[in-house]
Amino acid sequence: MWRNQVRSRGKLQHQRESARGAREKKVLQYEPGQQLHGFTVQQVSPVPDLSLTAVKLTHDRTGAQYLHVARDDPNNLFSVQFRTTPMDSTGVPHILEHTVLCGSEKYPCRDPFFKMLNRSLSTFMNAFTASDYTMYPFSTQNAKDFQNLLSVYLDAVFFPCLRELDFWQEGWRLEHENPSDLNSPLVFKGIVFNEMKGAFAQSESVYAQHLQNKLFPDHTYSVVSGGEPLAIPDLSWEQLKQFHATHYHPSNAKFFTYGDMPLEPHLQQINEEALCRFDQIEPHTVVPPQPHWNQPREHHVTCGPDPLAPDPSKQNSLCVSYLLGDAGFEEERIEALLHKIEVQMKHQSTNFGLSLASYIAPCWNHDGDPIQLLKISDSVAQFKKCLKDNPRYLQEKVQQYFKDNTHRLMLSMSPDEAYFEKRAKTEQEKLQQKIQSLSGSDRKEIYDKGLQLLSIQSTSQDASCLPALKVSDIAPTLVPTPVEMGNAGTCVPVQYCPQPTNGMVYFRAMCSLNTLPDELKVYVPLFCNVITKLGCGTLDYRQQAQQMELKTGGMVASPQVITDSADLDIYEQGILLTSSCLERNMSDMFHLWSKIFNSPHFEDVERLRVLVMMAAQELSNGISNSGHRYAMTRAGRTLTPAGDLHEMFGGLDQVRFMKRLAEMSDLSAVLRKLPRIKKHVLNKDNMRCAINATSEKMSEASHEVEKFVDRIPTIKKDRRPSRAMIAAGVVGVSHESGMRNLWTGFKPCQMKTYFELPFPVSYAGECVRTVPFTHQDYGSLCILGRMMTAKFLHGEIREKGGAYGGGATMGYGGLFSFYSYRDPNSTQTLSAFRAGVEWAKAGKFCQQDVDEAKLSVFSAVDAPVAPSDKGMDQFLSGVSDELKQKHREQLFAVTKQDLIDAAGRYLGIGQSTGGVAILGPENEIIKKDPSWVIR
């Protein structure tokens, strides 16, 4: 049971609340018409539902719009967005987004954006190109860091260098396959070019792009803003510069700041460093309305085949019809959707500022009112009034926008086995057209510029012009997260973590898989996917879904494999149950869990078929977007026992398994396995729980957990641990961090696997078995990964190799991993991995490089944690605040020599066991190498 402890508020907390009150009072004192550093206040509006105050301003000289959201959140965010409306598919806004970040007037060094990732404590840095706007956001918890990043971002977007060679690198170029070999063939290269080739390998992306293009065919939405790979080579450097001149002007800009930092310093810096150098213009970027069609249209498109997707010919036909004109909208269903909105407003995420910026961006981009968008309760109240005044309000809207709407598109898509072959042929034809039009001087210029670009990419750049934090700016100690341990019943440990959850309650339960027979383990992800979707107790699956929406913020089960913090051969396997609810719905949430534990439905084979097909298709669709993660998971499969389970639960093995299930004509045998898994997993003998809630509600939450546990019957049947796994210590003993398993028969081995998939680009992963979290060298390997990424691999894999991304990282599970993403040169990348190790072993880096890597690591270590997730490291992995502080001290203490030693000790050839995996198109070099397994 929870033991409520009265704690003194403390001086620090009191000071923070006083400061918060002063900030809120200051913001509310602003008045419309008030002038602040070149801006005029237009509106000040409190939004109590989101605990914020919004201030809307306009820049006097340029007309730039500005929205500041003051909120008690230390994770402050800035973003600037421009309405970007291309009229062709050359990808000019996307390539411009990349190129402006390659150097600017005040910061002319190459790639200041990526360099700042290692010179700041940012919690987020990125840029996005949408269909009709481009956004540049960052967030940080450090005021000095905010000023530094703001200076870099402002200079990048308003005063970029836009050098031709940067356009070549980021966009597209004609270059010799080997830039140093004049006799090697000319090919298309470029980071965005390869990124978009990868994007067009995703059937979902292809469909969504065609849907927009065909539904709005008369203006900017008829083109591919990110760039159609076959059209990208039509873009010139001059066109890029002209697009910047016409679109990246303050008169076409919207600024957004969020958090607990004061507004006026932001306004002053933005005005003095950028806006004061401009005068107002008419940007001519308004998008006219799409003319309305008089009749519906139909269109058919093709996409590439997906060998890991279920074969439609082997599936039973599923047909869903919607009687749009005759829909009935049940009151409880409407209440469930309104409840979902309430939960979304109450839930506090760590990236709330970014979520707000993204939420208001599309509407604000077309001059909608961003403050009105934030007043969600007003919109809900208006909806309820419309419903009260007209009981058929929703039916009439369906009639108006769906049934009677003639601007309607029927878009179908089917796989074409020759899709990628046709695109490759078209690309070659375009390449040959370009080559045939070259003069002798053109060819010499291409060769010379290729060498020039390679030379620049290979030269260490002076980044001293960029601002930077110092390691001394990092807090030496972490802020502790108090937790209290208790028990529900006699055998279920419960962790209580009091947090300011804003009226929400968060529940987790970890259920061990120790006793589950080996032959059932591959079904665990499926079990997790369907256990909350088949119905339970007196509820069928539709009623269950509605009750979950009406009473909870979601109920989810997911497989977990957690490596021990001190031994790579000890791990925990389990299923994590996660749910949340409003405080008033606690009892209902736990009652739903009780029904799932005690009386889940395992009878409806057709419902299972639908869920299996959806899951299989979703897994298949995700490969081209997360191929590097699948490659790393596969590469680590043979290195640790946890790695083997990771591949089974979430790797390509699971994707292939779900494909086979989806193609089965009869799933009855699969359905019968689910209750067997349930008996081993959903019981209180091998479960532990965690609650995050406010202190005031913790006693009630404890009582509800107690009732929930009491409702679960005890299973007396003897269930023994499977395989050669034994618990650390004595079988059946639960530790504070849960039961651990030691696989006594596991021996790591090396394996190289190539998965031939019909992608135009590849994804590579290489993993090396190293040390666990508490080992003295773990911190060195964390910093080594960040440093190798920033100082070596980024240049070799992205800049020279043309991949969209690549790097190295140290994982909690003890695997040091290399990866590349949307990579046109995977075999070359493997050589870059090895070269990176040799670079580190030779100590070809300086103390500044080490310090920057530490900043990058600490930006992740000290990333904000939402109240709902506080204490989860302790609950899931047994990693206490004391262990975290020790890890922190290890990071601070790492020296250059430590990194050299770690590279030699663990990453050198023959030093440790490693694995390699690549997903990509047919590769003749690898086919001829007998050391590879081709799948």
Side-chain angles (χ1 to χ4, degrees), residues 103-122:
S104 62
E105 182 182 287
K106 191 188 296 186
Y107 307 111
C109 64
R110 287 185 59 252
D111 226 354
F113 175 80
F114 280 96
K115 287 181 172 62
M116 285 304 294
L117 288 171
N118 303 288
R119 300 170 74 89
S120 84
L121 291 171
S122 64

Side-chain angles (χ1 to χ4, degrees), residues 89 131 200 205-225 228 290-303 406-413 419 423:
S89 294
S131 297
F200 273 76
S205 297
V206 171
Y207 187 86
Q209 187 66 61
H210 279 291
L211 184 65
Q212 176 181 287
N213 296 160
K214 302 298 186 294
L215 195 59
F216 302 99
D218 293 347
H219 203 265
T220 189
Y221 305 113
S222 66
V223 305
V224 183
S225 63
E228 155 62 63
Q290 166 67 44
H292 200 275
W293 299 342
N294 293 324
Q295 60 184 15
R297 301 181 183 180
E298 293 187 13
H299 199 82
H300 180 79
V301 297
T302 60
C303 64
T406 55
H407 195 107
R408 190 164 69 240
L409 174 69
M410 176 67 76
L411 181 66
S412 59
M413 184 172 76
Y419 176 84
R423 289 186 67 87

Side-chain angles (χ1 to χ4, degrees), residues 100 264 769 824 840:
V100 299
E264 292 184 43
R769 177 181 166 119

